[in-house]
Amino acid sequence: MSGGHRHAVLEELFVRMPHVFRADRAGSLQAVVHWRIGDRPDGGSDTYQLVIDGGRCVVSAQPDREPALVLTIGAVDFLAVVTGNAHPVVLAMRGKLRSKGDLGLTAKFPTLFDNPKP
């Protein structure tokens, strides 16, 4: 995840998030979540914004809203989470996933998405 395909892989994963979003579990939730994906070759991170509102999830690579929750994770661990190969709670307990902001949303967030199907 530090090579030349990083951007394309992250873009594809985030583009798919609205398709695995569980509006039935979100109910009337309104929230802005920023994912900060670390381990970029220059030492930085990529930030993606998810806006959950009205039973919809909209993703943007250009964050423009104040987040209620910021999730910070390394790129490989992010891949493991979104593919269902790692549980966010376990990663948080190991210090590999950090959350800042709304603790209630932090607990609910993993239930709002299904694992992608091939």
Side-chain angles (χ1 to χ4, degrees):
M1 285 299 292
S2 60
H5 297 291
R6 174 193 171 92
H7 179 75
V9 170
L10 289 176
E11 286 289 318
E12 184 63 26
L13 289 169
F14 278 99
V15 163
R16 291 179 183 210
M17 279 191 171
H19 302 287
V20 295
F21 177 66
R22 295 289 308 263
D24 60 318
R25 294 180 184 168
S28 61
L29 177 66
Q30 294 180 323
V32 176
V33 178
H34 287 182
W35 277 99
R36 288 191 182 144
I37 314 299
D39 303 329
R40 226 173 38 194
D42 65 1
S45 61
D46 293 295
T47 302
Y48 288 82
Q49 175 176 275
L50 279 72
V51 177
I52 299 169
D53 189 14
R56 294 185 47 210
C57 174
V58 178
V59 175
S60 172
Q62 304 296 325
D64 63 355
R65 297 189 189 188
E66 188 67 28
L69 176 63
V70 178
L71 298 168
T72 304
I73 191 169
V76 172
D77 290 323
F78 173 73
L79 283 176
V81 167
V82 298
T83 58
N85 292 305
H87 196 283
V89 172
V90 173
L91 291 176
M93 290 174 25
R94 292 182 179 163
K96 293 183 174 211
L97 171 64
R98 295 182 311 278
S99 62
K100 180 180 177 187
D102 184 336
L103 295 179
L105 181 56
T106 300
K108 184 174 183 158
F109 193 77
T111 69
L112 297 177
F113 297 88
D114 282 334
N115 290 331
K117 309 278 187 277

